[in-house]
Amino acid sequence: MSKTYKVTYKTYFNERLKHVSFHGKLTHPLYVQVTFDRRTIFFKSYYFELFSKPRYLLLAAGKKRGP
């Protein structure tokens, strides 16, 4: 009988790194931790980098707002 493993994940701000600007606000980069088969990997979130780009900045009623 084969053992079934579950996949767990956790998103967190990596406070060990310097602050980065996210649409004018300083924040830590977003990272993801994925565990499967008792192995854990850490990687930087692709979406944090994507949404940091200027084209995702919302301008409404003269106010700037990030996603």
Side-chain angles (χ1 to χ4, degrees), residues 15-60:
E15 296 177 354
R16 294 181 180 184
L17 301 177
K18 290 192 271 182
H19 283 92
V20 293
S21 178
F22 186 76
H23 298 294
K25 294 183 181 180
L26 289 179
T27 183
H28 293 284
L30 187 66
Y31 271 67
V32 179
Q33 172 185 336
V34 177
T35 304
F36 174 71
D37 192 17
R38 293 179 290 169
R39 293 184 186 169
T40 302
I41 59 170
F42 304 90
F43 56 93
K44 194 172 192 175
S45 173
Y46 166 76
Y47 293 104
F48 183 80
E49 293 295 320
L50 180 69
F51 291 136
S52 294
K53 295 184 179 181
R55 68 179 175 185
Y56 291 103
L57 181 65
L58 300 173
L59 296 173

Side-chain angles (χ1 to χ4, degrees), residues 4-18:
T4 59
Y5 294 99
K6 76 176 183 179
V7 177
T8 59
Y9 70 94
K10 179 173 90 168
T11 58
Y12 63 96
F13 292 106
N14 193 344
E15 296 177 354
R16 294 181 180 184
L17 301 177
K18 290 192 271 182

